[in-house]
Amino acid sequence: MGAQRRSPLQRGRSVLALAMVAGLVTACGGAGGGDADGQVELRFTWWGSDDRAEITEEAIALFEERNPNITVNTSYAAFSGYFERLATEVAGNNAPDVIQMDYAYLREYGDRGVLADLHEFDEDQLGTEGITPLLARSGEIDGRMYALPMAQNTHAWAYDEQAWTESGVPLPEAGWTWEDLLSSSQALTESTDGERYGTTDFGWSWETFQVWLRQQDKDLYTDAGEIDFDREDLTTYLELLEEFRTTEAATPANITSEIDGAVENSPLARGSAFADFTWDSTAVSFSSVLPDGVGLAPMPRIEGSDRVGQFAKPGMLISIAANSEHPEESAALVDFLLNDVDAGLILGTSRGMPVNNDVREAVGAELEGPDQLVYDYEEALADELEEPPSAPPPGNSALKREWQRLNSVIGFGQLSIDDAVDQFLERAEQEL
């Protein structure tokens, strides 16, 4: 692949090595179908909505039309159950050939040997030269490329623009600060006599804490997988969240606790709050539940900080199973989904902004509505977005859940901030 060009001889050796691995797996009943008649069957799985499934199937149909010897059997699920099912398939030596992967799980599956090293493929098999440099190596861990990004997104402040405008409170602008957010949110709540809160309590968002840390040249984790913040950082941020709640700038715990990650259940979508921190790609989903859609603003900054703290995040990644019987055909499918302009025009921004520059340009020329909003938002921030941090360590998911639990119990008045800090740091020692 582009990150590691090799000679045809080297390529032959690597493909042979993959084939040998596949042969071992075949004996164990591994992934993929038979190819005695030259026909190859692949399995491709992803998570997402029915709408995403429909257009993904359309793109797959075009791939099969161009590659009549390959049949792609597809499956998809909601995110909540996706990785449970994948874990079961992997445990049974039955991993799909091509796997939509999440950044939070990449290191775990890579370290377990589930995912192929994509460096084994040449550029003409699996192209990476057209992928935006910000994300080109986002799937690489310890020199092995376990995934490539399918899309780019970044953090955003999504707000009900019409309701906010009608309130008379000035709209958020680039360069605004956390103090501006607090005062605006208080004013918004007051404008409705407390019937609607200025913002969703962003203590549920582990990722927003990460942006706040990065604005101070810190992060959630070091490259070695240790936490990259201290007790003082944690206390200061939890006190900031508490100030938002006690001044009624943010939603109270009984509303925040109903957040389950689904856009339609968010306080913004339900009309309980004017705004929420989110990923910019969710603007499309918000527009399906809010008649007038949403506006997007960059994250507020710490007063005096030069960093916005936002980074280009691989919205989703795509991997090839290490035990695939058909690594070359799997690479062809991945290459098609990432780099083919026709495929990109079908897929649009269903997974976020396309990562291939040619595809992005073609898709951008055809966008409208909320898709155009997301495109323009990222274009406006292009010069400020940073490379993503290293893939989080395996304990990240547990710490994220603990973070949300502690924010909830603090919000309900069941735990002090000092005790919450103690509990979190103790849990971090256990998980990392």
Side-chain angles (χ1 to χ4, degrees):
M1 65 189 300
Q4 184 179 327
R5 279 190 170 278
R6 295 166 305 125
S7 69
L9 177 59
Q10 288 174 311
R11 172 185 166 186
R13 287 172 177 167
S14 64
V15 171
L16 176 61
L18 286 168
M20 291 173 66
V21 172
L24 291 173
V25 171
T26 300
C28 299
D35 56 356
D37 57 355
Q39 293 294 309
V40 170
E41 288 191 17
L42 300 178
R43 290 172 55 215
F44 172 35
T45 187
W46 69 88
W47 72 84
S49 64
D50 293 342
D51 290 345
R52 178 179 297 164
E54 183 176 347
I55 59 175
T56 302
E57 295 286 4
E58 185 178 347
I60 293 297
L62 178 59
F63 175 78
E64 291 176 328
E65 180 181 329
R66 293 183 182 177
N67 300 273
N69 64 315
I70 303 176
T71 298
V72 182
N73 299 313
T74 61
S75 62
Y76 69 99
F79 184 81
S80 58
Y82 178 81
F83 280 95
E84 291 181 12
R85 189 180 70 181
L86 180 61
T88 300
E89 292 174 323
V90 168
N93 269 337
N94 191 35
D97 299 275
V98 179
I99 304 166
Q100 184 172 296
M101 179 55 57
D102 185 72
Y103 207 47
Y105 290 86
L106 181 63
R107 186 180 295 272
E108 176 183 343
Y109 279 85
D111 288 350
R112 290 168 57 190
V114 175
L115 308 178
D117 180 4
L118 303 186
H119 280 314
E120 296 294 330
F121 300 98
D122 281 343
E123 181 69 23
D124 60 351
Q125 292 178 297
L126 181 47
T128 61
E129 291 181 348
I131 294 178
T132 176
L134 279 174
L135 293 178
R137 309 190 78 87
S138 56
E140 188 176 66
I141 298 175
D142 299 332
R144 293 177 178 270
M145 188 72 80
Y146 290 124
L148 288 170
M150 295 191 81
Q152 172 182 310
N153 61 19
T154 188
H155 317 73
W157 173 251
Y159 58 95
D160 186 333
E161 186 169 5
Q162 179 167 332
W164 192 316
T165 300
E166 291 173 353
S167 74
V169 177
L171 292 170
E173 297 180 348
W176 68 321
T177 66
W178 294 96
E179 288 76 14
D180 295 333
L181 170 60
L182 177 61
S183 60
S184 295
S185 299
Q186 291 169 338
L188 287 166
T189 304
E190 291 171 1
S191 73
T192 64
D193 294 327
E195 293 186 3
R196 190 174 189 182
Y197 294 88
T199 177
T200 301
D201 177 5
F202 47 94
W204 75 274
S205 171
W206 182 229
E207 293 78 12
T208 300
F209 179 44
Q210 184 175 31
V211 170
W212 183 83
L213 288 170
R214 289 169 67 90
Q215 291 174 348
Q216 302 168 82
D217 300 326
K218 300 181 180 180
D219 212 318
L220 292 178
Y221 306 105
T222 66
D223 289 341
E226 300 171 343
I227 59 171
D228 194 23
F229 54 91
D230 58 24
R231 169 180 291 275
E232 183 177 353
D233 298 321
L234 197 51
T235 301
T236 300
Y237 191 73
L238 291 176
E239 289 176 345
L240 174 67
L241 295 172
E242 185 70 355
E243 184 175 10
F244 271 79
R245 286 189 293 264
T246 57
T247 61
E248 298 188 336
T251 51
N254 64 312
I255 293 178
T256 310
S257 62
E258 295 179 355
I259 295 174
D260 61 2
V263 164
E264 58 270 23
N265 293 329
S266 70
L268 172 57
R270 288 185 165 187
S272 303
F274 281 86
D276 196 0
F277 288 111
T278 185
W279 298 108
D280 59 357
S281 56
T282 63
V284 178
S285 298
F286 273 117
S287 295
S288 68
V289 294
L290 290 171
D292 298 310
V294 294
L296 297 177
M299 302 293 278
R301 303 188 187 208
I302 289 178
E303 186 78 38
S305 173
D306 293 330
R307 295 182 63 179
V308 67
Q310 293 181 230
F311 53 86
K313 179 180 179 295
M316 297 162 195
L317 301 114
I318 192 164
S319 301
I320 296 174
N323 67 358
S324 171
E325 295 180 41
H326 307 294
E328 288 192 339
E329 289 82 1
S330 296
L333 175 59
V334 173
D335 183 77
F336 173 80
L337 293 172
L338 299 186
N339 298 316
D340 189 275
V341 171
D342 293 331
L345 289 172
I346 294 172
L347 296 171
T349 59
S350 61
R351 289 176 169 83
M353 296 299 297
V355 294
N356 178 290
N357 291 321
D358 291 339
V359 175
R360 181 179 299 190
E361 184 177 347
V363 170
E366 305 236 338
L367 295 176
E368 57 185 17
D371 291 317
Q372 183 69 52
L373 174 71
V374 176
Y375 184 87
D376 292 343
Y377 174 72
E378 293 212 12
E379 287 295 293
L381 279 172
D383 291 339
E384 292 194 278
L385 292 182
E386 304 167 0
E387 291 185 6
S390 300
N396 175 66
S397 297
L399 287 183
K400 179 176 179 176
R401 290 192 296 272
E402 178 68 356
W403 172 266
Q404 292 169 336
R405 184 190 72 81
L406 290 172
N407 182 69
S408 180
V409 293
I410 293 172
F412 278 114
Q414 298 169 342
L415 192 70
S416 71
I417 289 177
D418 285 344
D419 288 342
V421 170
D422 289 340
Q423 290 187 21
F424 182 87
L425 294 176
E426 181 178 346
R427 183 66 180 272
E429 285 188 6
Q430 298 170 356
E431 297 291 343
L432 300 178

